[in-house]
Amino acid sequence: MAYDAVQALQGFYGIKEDASFDPSAGLVPLTSSLIPPLVAQAFGLPTLGGAPTPQPQPTLAQTQHAQSVYGTMMNPALMGAFGFSGAQYAATMQPQSHLAGLPMGYLQALAAASQHHQQQQQQQQQQQQSTAALLAQTAGALHAHTAALAAAARAAPATSSAMSQPLMPAASQDGTAGRAASCEQDRTTTTATARTSSGPPSSLGAAVRPTPSLPFQNPLMVQNLYAAFAQPHPAYVQSPATSFASTLAPYAVHSYYARPHDANAAAMAAAAAAAAAATSAYGYPQAPSSAACNGAFHPGYGATPLDYSAALAAAYRPVAAPAIPVPSSGQQQCQSMGEEEYMDDGSTRAIKRPRLVWTPQLHKKFESAVHKLGVEKAVPKNIMQEMNIDGLTRENVASHLQKYRMLRRRDVTSSEGRDSDSRTAGTKRSEPESTRPAPAATTQTTSTLDCSGGAASALTVPQPISSSAALLAPSSAPSSATATPVM
DNA sequence: ACTCTAATAT
DNA sequence: AATATTAGAG
């Protein structure tokens, strides 16, 4: 097993690197046994924590649904790891059709993954050859496809945001029609609407599918694969950097949240990217205020407070059935975590409390608590108690309060310097943020545009940043009255 | 033991 | 940039 992959997996699962691990010795660090056994098996890692338990066979309907969701090119071993039956996939798989729309880098990554696995399992030579053959074949097909696409584009300027497929799986139910359905969905949900639908179907139009889409729609798996094999994920390489950072950040961090800090920066990045990918992919088609959280692989979500150890357990437990994304929404920040992590030998070790994310909901609570308490009593401890959030510490509040006050002070002094009102500290004036640009539902977030389709965009750009968002979006400057694009 | 601010770390 | 942590003083 490539050391890189081990690292990536560990990072993905938030496992701390064992400093004593010597890659050259071919040993897998003890902590790697925390990787779900089935995943470990899929990646050829030795597992110390006992043999993987056999997964229940999915029904055919499940398989087909999952196939429509995740695509057909999953590494069989991975499918096993994630609870799919490879054989059934193979049976329902249509060897050529799914190759047509794939971007090259993606294919290569998959092929590389597949090749890697095969090398693990068996003799390398023949396998390599067949893989190479497949690659060559694929390359040929892709080449032709690309050429045809280009021709089609010349004929009718129909563009396609290559990676913009809305990742909510719901629509397609059968494998073959799935991609067509996806394109259909693209047309209706993204802003490519006009261009795509208005373009008169050229003679090539029927033969050439306009939108190469990701067949692999479980973001965690995808990201895991890419991370494990050090491939940049095309969708996130291509999408503007602003995407998740701005509107989706509260949700993105959420899932990432329940994982312990990891010293490995690269792995951290991978995990964060995975979380972001998951967020975008799952779409959140409903308003953030509604619905419940879905637990599957998102330890951070849930209406009920989460115990950190439970989150760990959930993360480490391979899911038996495909975690079909259930639309969920930003909920109140709920978190409470244990303080120990179980190690292989049964002992425990203190782990770092995950960094708190001040979601809008949480901040709202904070603000109302502050207001309720009044200037005098609005001190960290009181606020903490008033908020009554499980797991929220005084330090959390103190830190936030510090920033809150700073902003508040700055706002006051800048907006009314001449006024006689220059308080010393802890000013809890009335809200000066009457400046409400009220952006008329204009700008789509790039992220939502790119990654999750229209429904999500409507909701990930929730309110026009009212007063409560001041802390989270500090730039509610009175000067920039107009745009304030989704910050 | 708590709070505050500033500075610094992650 | 956002949050955590720490220091030092009250």
Side-chain angles (χ1 to χ4, degrees), chain A residues 327-383:
Chain A
S328 77
S329 62
Q331 204 70 334
Q332 83 165 38
Q333 183 87 25
C334 40
Q335 37 141 6
S336 92
M337 49 223 78
E339 284 150 3
E340 323 189 307
E341 174 183 17
Y342 289 92
M343 296 176 65
D344 300 302
D345 52 14
S347 70
T348 61
R349 157 184 51 167
I351 62 178
K352 244 170 120 67
R353 176 185 288 271
R355 150 187 272 248
L356 175 70
V357 177
W358 284 92
T359 63
Q361 294 88 350
L362 193 57
H363 177 67
K364 216 173 152 192
K365 279 204 154 194
F366 168 84
E367 265 198 326
S368 64
V370 166
H371 286 141
K372 181 170 176 183
L373 290 168
V375 192
E376 297 301 319
K377 288 178 287 184
V379 297
K381 196 181 179 185
N382 291 342
I383 298 174

Short mmCIF file of all heavy atoms in Angstrom, two decimals, chain A residues 327-383:
data_model
loop_
_atom_site.label_atom_id
_atom_site.label_comp_id
_atom_site.label_asym_id
_atom_site.label_seq_id
_atom_site.Cartn_x
_atom_site.Cartn_y
_atom_site.Cartn_z
N PRO A 327 -31.65 15.45 1.94
CA PRO A 327 -31.51 16.89 2.07
C PRO A 327 -31.61 17.29 3.52
O PRO A 327 -32.53 16.89 4.21
CB PRO A 327 -32.67 17.45 1.25
CG PRO A 327 -33.55 16.29 0.98
CD PRO A 327 -32.69 15.07 1.04
N SER A 328 -30.66 18.01 3.92
CA SER A 328 -30.68 18.47 5.29
C SER A 328 -30.35 19.93 5.30
O SER A 328 -30.12 20.54 4.27
CB SER A 328 -29.67 17.70 6.11
OG SER A 328 -28.38 18.18 5.84
N SER A 329 -30.33 20.48 6.43
CA SER A 329 -30.17 21.92 6.47
C SER A 329 -29.32 22.33 7.62
O SER A 329 -29.06 21.56 8.53
CB SER A 329 -31.53 22.56 6.62
OG SER A 329 -32.06 22.12 7.84
N GLY A 330 -28.91 23.54 7.55
CA GLY A 330 -28.17 24.08 8.68
C GLY A 330 -29.07 24.05 9.88
O GLY A 330 -30.21 24.50 9.85
N GLN A 331 -28.58 23.54 10.90
CA GLN A 331 -29.37 23.47 12.10
C GLN A 331 -28.60 24.23 13.14
O GLN A 331 -27.55 24.76 12.88
CB GLN A 331 -29.53 22.02 12.50
CG GLN A 331 -30.73 21.75 13.34
CD GLN A 331 -32.01 21.90 12.55
OE1 GLN A 331 -32.08 22.63 11.58
NE2 GLN A 331 -33.04 21.23 12.98
N GLN A 332 -29.13 24.31 14.26
CA GLN A 332 -28.35 24.96 15.27
C GLN A 332 -27.06 24.19 15.48
O GLN A 332 -26.98 23.00 15.25
CB GLN A 332 -29.12 25.02 16.57
CG GLN A 332 -28.99 23.71 17.35
CD GLN A 332 -29.43 23.90 18.76
OE1 GLN A 332 -30.37 24.58 19.02
NE2 GLN A 332 -28.75 23.26 19.67
N GLN A 333 -26.10 24.93 15.88
CA GLN A 333 -24.83 24.29 16.14
C GLN A 333 -24.98 23.36 17.32
O GLN A 333 -25.27 23.79 18.42
CB GLN A 333 -23.79 25.35 16.45
CG GLN A 333 -22.43 24.79 16.67
CD GLN A 333 -21.71 24.66 15.36
OE1 GLN A 333 -22.02 25.38 14.45
NE2 GLN A 333 -20.78 23.75 15.29
N CYS A 334 -24.84 22.13 17.07
CA CYS A 334 -25.01 21.22 18.18
C CYS A 334 -23.78 20.35 18.29
O CYS A 334 -23.37 19.69 17.38
CB CYS A 334 -26.24 20.37 17.97
SG CYS A 334 -26.44 19.86 16.27
N GLN A 335 -23.23 20.40 19.39
CA GLN A 335 -22.01 19.64 19.54
C GLN A 335 -21.73 19.45 21.01
O GLN A 335 -21.87 20.33 21.82
CB GLN A 335 -20.86 20.41 18.93
CG GLN A 335 -21.01 21.88 19.17
CD GLN A 335 -19.70 22.54 19.47
OE1 GLN A 335 -18.66 21.94 19.39
NE2 GLN A 335 -19.78 23.77 19.85
N SER A 336 -21.37 18.27 21.30
CA SER A 336 -20.78 18.04 22.59
C SER A 336 -19.93 16.82 22.40
O SER A 336 -20.35 15.86 21.78
CB SER A 336 -21.85 17.77 23.63
OG SER A 336 -22.09 16.40 23.72
N MET A 337 -18.77 16.92 22.85
CA MET A 337 -17.91 15.81 22.50
C MET A 337 -17.18 15.28 23.72
O MET A 337 -16.96 15.97 24.70
CB MET A 337 -16.90 16.26 21.48
CG MET A 337 -16.26 17.54 21.89
SD MET A 337 -16.12 18.64 20.53
CE MET A 337 -17.76 19.25 20.42
N GLY A 338 -16.86 14.08 23.60
CA GLY A 338 -16.07 13.47 24.66
C GLY A 338 -14.66 14.00 24.60
O GLY A 338 -14.32 14.77 23.72
N GLU A 339 -13.89 13.56 25.49
CA GLU A 339 -12.54 14.10 25.52
C GLU A 339 -11.50 13.04 25.25
O GLU A 339 -10.32 13.30 25.33
CB GLU A 339 -12.28 14.74 26.88
CG GLU A 339 -12.96 16.08 27.00
CD GLU A 339 -13.33 16.39 28.42
OE1 GLU A 339 -13.01 15.59 29.29
OE2 GLU A 339 -13.95 17.44 28.63
N GLU A 340 -11.94 11.86 24.95
CA GLU A 340 -10.95 10.83 24.77
C GLU A 340 -11.21 10.07 23.49
O GLU A 340 -12.31 10.00 22.98
CB GLU A 340 -11.01 9.85 25.92
CG GLU A 340 -11.30 10.55 27.24
CD GLU A 340 -11.13 9.62 28.39
OE1 GLU A 340 -11.74 8.54 28.36
OE2 GLU A 340 -10.38 9.96 29.31
N GLU A 341 -10.15 9.53 23.04
CA GLU A 341 -10.23 8.71 21.86
C GLU A 341 -9.72 7.33 22.25
O GLU A 341 -8.73 7.22 22.93
CB GLU A 341 -9.35 9.31 20.76
CG GLU A 341 -9.25 8.45 19.54
CD GLU A 341 -8.30 9.10 18.55
OE1 GLU A 341 -7.53 9.98 18.97
OE2 GLU A 341 -8.33 8.73 17.40
N TYR A 342 -10.41 6.35 21.80
CA TYR A 342 -9.99 5.01 22.17
C TYR A 342 -8.89 4.55 21.24
O TYR A 342 -8.99 4.66 20.03
CB TYR A 342 -11.17 4.06 22.12
CG TYR A 342 -12.13 4.33 23.23
CD1 TYR A 342 -13.20 5.19 23.04
CD2 TYR A 342 -11.93 3.76 24.48
CE1 TYR A 342 -14.06 5.47 24.07
CE2 TYR A 342 -12.80 4.03 25.51
CZ TYR A 342 -13.87 4.88 25.31
OH TYR A 342 -14.72 5.16 26.33
N MET A 343 -7.89 4.06 21.83
CA MET A 343 -6.79 3.57 21.03
C MET A 343 -6.90 2.07 20.89
O MET A 343 -7.78 1.44 21.44
CB MET A 343 -5.47 3.96 21.67
CG MET A 343 -5.28 5.47 21.70
SD MET A 343 -3.80 5.95 22.55
CE MET A 343 -2.55 5.26 21.51
N ASP A 344 -5.98 1.56 20.13
CA ASP A 344 -6.06 0.15 19.81
C ASP A 344 -5.96 -0.73 21.04
O ASP A 344 -6.65 -1.73 21.17
CB ASP A 344 -4.96 -0.22 18.83
CG ASP A 344 -5.10 0.59 17.57
OD1 ASP A 344 -6.16 0.51 16.95
OD2 ASP A 344 -4.16 1.33 17.25
N ASP A 345 -5.10 -0.33 21.92
CA ASP A 345 -4.90 -1.19 23.07
C ASP A 345 -5.96 -0.98 24.14
O ASP A 345 -5.86 -1.53 25.21
CB ASP A 345 -3.51 -0.95 23.67
CG ASP A 345 -3.28 0.53 23.92
OD1 ASP A 345 -4.26 1.28 23.89
OD2 ASP A 345 -2.12 0.90 24.16
N GLY A 346 -6.92 -0.19 23.82
CA GLY A 346 -7.99 0.01 24.78
C GLY A 346 -7.77 1.22 25.66
O GLY A 346 -8.71 1.69 26.28
N SER A 347 -6.58 1.70 25.71
CA SER A 347 -6.35 2.88 26.52
C SER A 347 -6.95 4.09 25.82
O SER A 347 -7.44 4.02 24.70
CB SER A 347 -4.86 3.10 26.70
OG SER A 347 -4.28 3.49 25.48
N THR A 348 -6.92 5.18 26.49
CA THR A 348 -7.49 6.37 25.89
C THR A 348 -6.44 7.46 25.86
O THR A 348 -5.46 7.44 26.57
CB THR A 348 -8.70 6.86 26.68
OG1 THR A 348 -8.27 7.16 28.00
CG2 THR A 348 -9.78 5.82 26.71
N ARG A 349 -6.72 8.41 25.03
CA ARG A 349 -5.79 9.51 24.89
C ARG A 349 -6.63 10.75 24.66
O ARG A 349 -7.62 10.73 23.94
CB ARG A 349 -4.89 9.25 23.69
CG ARG A 349 -4.29 10.50 23.11
CD ARG A 349 -3.49 10.18 21.87
NE ARG A 349 -4.25 9.37 20.92
CZ ARG A 349 -3.84 9.17 19.67
NH1 ARG A 349 -2.73 9.66 19.26
NH2 ARG A 349 -4.57 8.44 18.84
N ALA A 350 -6.22 11.82 25.25
CA ALA A 350 -6.98 13.05 25.08
C ALA A 350 -6.84 13.53 23.65
O ALA A 350 -5.77 13.47 23.05
CB ALA A 350 -6.47 14.11 26.03
N ILE A 351 -7.93 13.98 23.11
CA ILE A 351 -7.87 14.54 21.77
C ILE A 351 -8.36 15.97 21.83
O ILE A 351 -9.06 16.35 22.76
CB ILE A 351 -8.70 13.73 20.77
CG1 ILE A 351 -10.15 13.76 21.19
CG2 ILE A 351 -8.15 12.34 20.67
CD1 ILE A 351 -11.03 13.03 20.25
N LYS A 352 -7.99 16.67 20.83
CA LYS A 352 -8.31 18.08 20.81
C LYS A 352 -9.79 18.28 20.53
O LYS A 352 -10.36 17.62 19.66
CB LYS A 352 -7.51 18.77 19.72
CG LYS A 352 -6.53 19.80 20.23
CD LYS A 352 -5.63 20.23 19.09
CE LYS A 352 -5.77 21.71 18.84
NZ LYS A 352 -5.26 22.53 19.95
N ARG A 353 -10.34 19.19 21.22
CA ARG A 353 -11.72 19.58 20.93
C ARG A 353 -11.75 20.27 19.58
O ARG A 353 -10.94 21.17 19.32
CB ARG A 353 -12.19 20.54 22.00
CG ARG A 353 -13.56 21.11 21.79
CD ARG A 353 -13.87 22.12 22.85
NE ARG A 353 -14.10 21.51 24.15
CZ ARG A 353 -15.28 21.10 24.55
NH1 ARG A 353 -16.32 21.25 23.78
NH2 ARG A 353 -15.43 20.55 25.74
N PRO A 354 -12.64 19.88 18.75
CA PRO A 354 -12.67 20.50 17.43
C PRO A 354 -13.00 21.98 17.52
O PRO A 354 -13.73 22.41 18.42
CB PRO A 354 -13.79 19.77 16.70
CG PRO A 354 -14.07 18.57 17.51
CD PRO A 354 -13.62 18.84 18.91
N ARG A 355 -12.48 22.67 16.62
CA ARG A 355 -12.65 24.11 16.60
C ARG A 355 -14.11 24.48 16.35
O ARG A 355 -14.77 23.89 15.51
CB ARG A 355 -11.75 24.64 15.49
CG ARG A 355 -12.17 25.87 14.81
CD ARG A 355 -11.23 26.13 13.64
NE ARG A 355 -10.10 26.92 14.08
CZ ARG A 355 -9.91 28.17 13.69
NH1 ARG A 355 -10.73 28.73 12.85
NH2 ARG A 355 -8.88 28.84 14.12
N LEU A 356 -14.54 25.40 17.10
CA LEU A 356 -15.95 25.79 17.01
C LEU A 356 -16.18 26.64 15.77
O LEU A 356 -15.37 27.49 15.43
CB LEU A 356 -16.33 26.59 18.25
CG LEU A 356 -17.74 27.17 18.26
CD1 LEU A 356 -18.74 26.06 18.41
CD2 LEU A 356 -17.88 28.16 19.37
N VAL A 357 -17.27 26.40 15.15
CA VAL A 357 -17.66 27.23 14.03
C VAL A 357 -18.88 28.03 14.42
O VAL A 357 -19.89 27.47 14.83
CB VAL A 357 -17.98 26.38 12.80
CG1 VAL A 357 -18.45 27.27 11.67
CG2 VAL A 357 -16.77 25.60 12.40
N TRP A 358 -18.74 29.30 14.30
CA TRP A 358 -19.86 30.16 14.69
C TRP A 358 -20.80 30.29 13.51
O TRP A 358 -20.75 31.24 12.75
CB TRP A 358 -19.36 31.51 15.16
CG TRP A 358 -18.80 31.43 16.53
CD1 TRP A 358 -17.51 31.20 16.88
CD2 TRP A 358 -19.52 31.55 17.75
NE1 TRP A 358 -17.38 31.17 18.24
CE2 TRP A 358 -18.60 31.39 18.80
CE3 TRP A 358 -20.86 31.77 18.06
CZ2 TRP A 358 -18.99 31.44 20.13
CZ3 TRP A 358 -21.23 31.83 19.38
CH2 TRP A 358 -20.29 31.66 20.41
N THR A 359 -21.65 29.34 13.41
CA THR A 359 -22.64 29.38 12.35
C THR A 359 -23.59 30.54 12.60
O THR A 359 -23.67 31.06 13.71
CB THR A 359 -23.45 28.09 12.34
OG1 THR A 359 -24.14 28.00 13.57
CG2 THR A 359 -22.55 26.89 12.15
N PRO A 360 -24.27 30.94 11.56
CA PRO A 360 -25.23 32.03 11.75
C PRO A 360 -26.23 31.72 12.85
O PRO A 360 -26.58 32.60 13.65
CB PRO A 360 -25.93 32.11 10.39
CG PRO A 360 -24.95 31.57 9.43
CD PRO A 360 -24.15 30.53 10.17
N GLN A 361 -26.66 30.48 12.89
CA GLN A 361 -27.63 30.13 13.93
C GLN A 361 -27.02 30.33 15.31
O GLN A 361 -27.65 30.87 16.22
CB GLN A 361 -28.05 28.68 13.77
CG GLN A 361 -28.82 28.39 12.51
CD GLN A 361 -27.91 28.06 11.35
OE1 GLN A 361 -26.70 28.22 11.45
NE2 GLN A 361 -28.49 27.61 10.26
N LEU A 362 -25.81 29.85 15.43
CA LEU A 362 -25.16 29.94 16.73
C LEU A 362 -24.93 31.39 17.10
O LEU A 362 -25.14 31.79 18.25
CB LEU A 362 -23.84 29.18 16.67
CG LEU A 362 -23.18 28.91 18.01
CD1 LEU A 362 -24.13 28.15 18.91
CD2 LEU A 362 -21.90 28.13 17.83
N HIS A 363 -24.49 32.13 16.12
CA HIS A 363 -24.22 33.54 16.40
C HIS A 363 -25.50 34.27 16.79
O HIS A 363 -25.49 35.16 17.63
CB HIS A 363 -23.59 34.19 15.19
CG HIS A 363 -23.35 35.66 15.37
ND1 HIS A 363 -22.42 36.12 16.28
CD2 HIS A 363 -23.91 36.74 14.81
CE1 HIS A 363 -22.43 37.45 16.24
NE2 HIS A 363 -23.32 37.84 15.37
N LYS A 364 -26.56 33.85 16.17
CA LYS A 364 -27.83 34.47 16.50
C LYS A 364 -28.16 34.24 17.97
O LYS A 364 -28.59 35.15 18.69
CB LYS A 364 -28.93 33.90 15.61
CG LYS A 364 -29.98 34.91 15.20
CD LYS A 364 -30.91 34.28 14.18
CE LYS A 364 -32.28 34.93 14.27
NZ LYS A 364 -33.29 34.16 13.51
N LYS A 365 -27.97 33.04 18.36
CA LYS A 365 -28.19 32.73 19.77
C LYS A 365 -27.31 33.59 20.65
O LYS A 365 -27.73 34.10 21.68
CB LYS A 365 -27.90 31.26 20.02
CG LYS A 365 -29.03 30.35 19.64
CD LYS A 365 -28.93 29.06 20.42
CE LYS A 365 -30.28 28.39 20.57
NZ LYS A 365 -30.27 27.34 21.60
N PHE A 366 -26.09 33.68 20.21
CA PHE A 366 -25.14 34.47 20.97
C PHE A 366 -25.64 35.89 21.11
O PHE A 366 -25.67 36.46 22.21
CB PHE A 366 -23.78 34.43 20.26
CG PHE A 366 -22.78 35.41 20.77
CD1 PHE A 366 -22.00 35.11 21.87
CD2 PHE A 366 -22.62 36.63 20.14
CE1 PHE A 366 -21.06 36.01 22.33
CE2 PHE A 366 -21.69 37.54 20.60
CZ PHE A 366 -20.92 37.23 21.70
N GLU A 367 -26.02 36.44 20.00
CA GLU A 367 -26.45 37.83 20.01
C GLU A 367 -27.66 38.03 20.90
O GLU A 367 -27.73 38.99 21.68
CB GLU A 367 -26.76 38.29 18.60
CG GLU A 367 -25.60 38.99 17.94
CD GLU A 367 -26.06 39.81 16.76
OE1 GLU A 367 -27.02 39.35 16.10
OE2 GLU A 367 -25.48 40.87 16.50
N SER A 368 -28.61 37.15 20.75
CA SER A 368 -29.81 37.35 21.54
C SER A 368 -29.49 37.20 23.02
O SER A 368 -30.06 37.90 23.87
CB SER A 368 -30.91 36.38 21.12
OG SER A 368 -30.49 35.07 21.37
N ALA A 369 -28.58 36.31 23.30
CA ALA A 369 -28.18 36.17 24.70
C ALA A 369 -27.55 37.45 25.20
O ALA A 369 -27.86 37.93 26.30
CB ALA A 369 -27.20 35.00 24.84
N VAL A 370 -26.70 38.01 24.37
CA VAL A 370 -26.04 39.25 24.78
C VAL A 370 -27.06 40.34 25.01
O VAL A 370 -27.03 41.07 26.00
CB VAL A 370 -25.02 39.68 23.71
CG1 VAL A 370 -24.58 41.11 23.95
CG2 VAL A 370 -23.83 38.76 23.71
N HIS A 371 -27.98 40.42 24.09
CA HIS A 371 -28.98 41.48 24.22
C HIS A 371 -29.86 41.27 25.44
O HIS A 371 -30.22 42.20 26.13
CB HIS A 371 -29.83 41.55 22.95
CG HIS A 371 -29.07 42.15 21.81
ND1 HIS A 371 -29.19 41.69 20.52
CD2 HIS A 371 -28.16 43.14 21.76
CE1 HIS A 371 -28.39 42.39 19.73
NE2 HIS A 371 -27.75 43.26 20.46
N LYS A 372 -30.17 40.02 25.64
CA LYS A 372 -31.03 39.74 26.77
C LYS A 372 -30.33 40.08 28.09
O LYS A 372 -30.95 40.59 29.03
CB LYS A 372 -31.41 38.27 26.75
CG LYS A 372 -32.32 37.85 27.87
CD LYS A 372 -32.82 36.44 27.63
CE LYS A 372 -33.66 35.98 28.81
NZ LYS A 372 -34.12 34.58 28.63
N LEU A 373 -29.06 39.78 28.12
CA LEU A 373 -28.34 40.00 29.37
C LEU A 373 -28.04 41.47 29.60
O LEU A 373 -27.90 41.91 30.74
CB LEU A 373 -27.02 39.22 29.34
CG LEU A 373 -27.20 37.71 29.44
CD1 LEU A 373 -25.91 36.99 29.12
CD2 LEU A 373 -27.67 37.34 30.83
N GLY A 374 -27.91 42.20 28.53
CA GLY A 374 -27.58 43.60 28.71
C GLY A 374 -26.09 43.81 28.87
O GLY A 374 -25.32 42.87 29.07
N VAL A 375 -25.74 45.06 28.78
CA VAL A 375 -24.32 45.40 28.76
C VAL A 375 -23.60 44.86 29.99
O VAL A 375 -22.52 44.30 29.92
CB VAL A 375 -24.15 46.93 28.71
CG1 VAL A 375 -22.72 47.28 28.40
CG2 VAL A 375 -25.11 47.54 27.72
N GLU A 376 -24.24 45.06 31.09
CA GLU A 376 -23.55 44.76 32.34
C GLU A 376 -23.22 43.28 32.47
O GLU A 376 -22.11 42.90 32.79
CB GLU A 376 -24.43 45.19 33.52
CG GLU A 376 -24.68 46.68 33.57
CD GLU A 376 -23.37 47.45 33.67
OE1 GLU A 376 -22.47 47.00 34.41
OE2 GLU A 376 -23.25 48.50 33.01
N LYS A 377 -24.24 42.50 32.22
CA LYS A 377 -24.06 41.09 32.54
C LYS A 377 -23.59 40.23 31.38
O LYS A 377 -23.46 39.02 31.51
CB LYS A 377 -25.39 40.54 33.07
CG LYS A 377 -25.69 41.06 34.46
CD LYS A 377 -27.02 40.56 34.94
CE LYS A 377 -28.17 41.28 34.22
NZ LYS A 377 -29.49 40.89 34.72
N ALA A 378 -23.36 40.89 30.27
CA ALA A 378 -22.95 40.10 29.10
C ALA A 378 -21.48 39.73 29.17
O ALA A 378 -20.64 40.26 28.45
CB ALA A 378 -23.25 40.89 27.83
N VAL A 379 -21.19 38.83 30.01
CA VAL A 379 -19.83 38.33 30.13
C VAL A 379 -19.84 36.85 29.72
O VAL A 379 -20.89 36.22 29.72
CB VAL A 379 -19.30 38.47 31.57
CG1 VAL A 379 -19.24 39.94 31.94
CG2 VAL A 379 -20.13 37.67 32.51
N PRO A 380 -18.69 36.37 29.38
CA PRO A 380 -18.65 35.02 28.79
C PRO A 380 -19.46 33.98 29.53
O PRO A 380 -20.25 33.25 28.91
CB PRO A 380 -17.16 34.69 28.82
CG PRO A 380 -16.48 36.01 28.70
CD PRO A 380 -17.37 37.00 29.40
N LYS A 381 -19.27 33.94 30.81
CA LYS A 381 -19.94 32.85 31.51
C LYS A 381 -21.45 32.98 31.43
O LYS A 381 -22.16 32.00 31.17
CB LYS A 381 -19.50 32.87 32.97
CG LYS A 381 -19.81 31.59 33.70
CD LYS A 381 -19.38 31.67 35.14
CE LYS A 381 -19.70 30.39 35.88
NZ LYS A 381 -19.40 30.51 37.31
N ASN A 382 -21.91 34.17 31.64
CA ASN A 382 -23.36 34.37 31.57
C ASN A 382 -23.88 34.05 30.18
O ASN A 382 -24.93 33.41 30.03
CB ASN A 382 -23.70 35.82 31.93
CG ASN A 382 -23.44 36.10 33.40
OD1 ASN A 382 -23.34 35.17 34.19
ND2 ASN A 382 -23.31 37.36 33.73
N ILE A 383 -23.17 34.54 29.22
CA ILE A 383 -23.63 34.30 27.86
C ILE A 383 -23.68 32.81 27.58
O ILE A 383 -24.63 32.29 27.00
CB ILE A 383 -22.70 35.00 26.85
CG1 ILE A 383 -22.73 36.50 27.09
CG2 ILE A 383 -23.11 34.68 25.44
CD1 ILE A 383 -21.74 37.26 26.24
#
